[in-house]
Amino acid sequence: MKERLEKRSFYKKRMYGKRTMIARGADFITLRIVIAFAAFFCFKTLMPTVASAVLAVVAVLMFSTASELIKSVRLDRFIASERDRMVREHIKQIILYLDNDSFCRLAGRCVYDDGCVTALQKISPITPDDVLAAYRQAAASSKKAAHIVTIAQITPEARVTAQSAPNIKIHFHTSDELIELYNDECIDADELEKIAIMAEKNKRRLRGLKGMRPFAPSRARSYIIASSLLMVLSFFVKHALYFRIMGIICMVFGMLTACIGVYTKNSA
């Protein structure tokens, strides 16, 4: 049960991007308050106040149920697509580090005619120069077609160069085809998922440890907020002097932390 909750929490954070749980919770409450008031005033024109309030609550509950059902279906679809993406990215990394002979054999399986095959096992995008090299290789072999097989991205300029090549038709075979052809039963989506969740946990732990340092750059804002609150509270308490002293100390810490952060950034 705990593992399932961790998994869903991991994918929720990915699905909602950088929005925190507090921000999502605020949206959750605000939206339901707005719906409750809108439903109440709508029903109030037709029936007594008590009945309107009851129906407004019912409307909010119905909306919440439908919303949670839609979010659950959406999350399940997102999980399925993310698992597929992780597997594909893993296979792409495997293909990238294949030895030259294995990559050439895999590239040969993409081609179903007697055209010239150019296997480009590289990370940098395919350029017009790569297309010209494949064109010249096909022309030297008296082929009517050239096939460029790669896992790298293809630049628009390279596609334009391929379309304008005379007498020889140039085809591109991208990572999608190679991934579909690569069969490895040892790839386990559950294991990749566990690795990704563990990496996210370690990242959060390191971020937490970094934030615990007294003069970490991320703490400058916290010091300034604490200083402002202490200064405001000093007008409503009996021993105002102590609050103001603490507020000044927090302000000094905040300024010192900000200066250290700027100095560290400029030195990097």
Side-chain angles (χ1 to χ4, degrees), residues 98-110 117 119 121 149:
L98 285 175
D99 60 82
N100 188 60
D101 291 338
S102 299
F103 185 77
C104 288
R105 283 197 299 271
L106 184 63
R109 292 169 59 191
C110 295
V117 180
Q121 193 177 9
V149 183

Side-chain angles (χ1 to χ4, degrees), residues 3 34 43 45:
E3 186 177 342
V34 170
F43 289 129
T45 60

Side-chain angles (χ1 to χ4, degrees), residues 83-98:
R83 283 167 63 90
D84 181 64
R85 186 191 64 79
M86 284 192 290
V87 170
R88 294 178 72 85
E89 284 296 322
H90 183 68
I91 294 174
K92 189 174 178 180
Q93 287 297 313
I94 293 174
I95 294 172
L96 179 63
Y97 291 102
L98 285 175

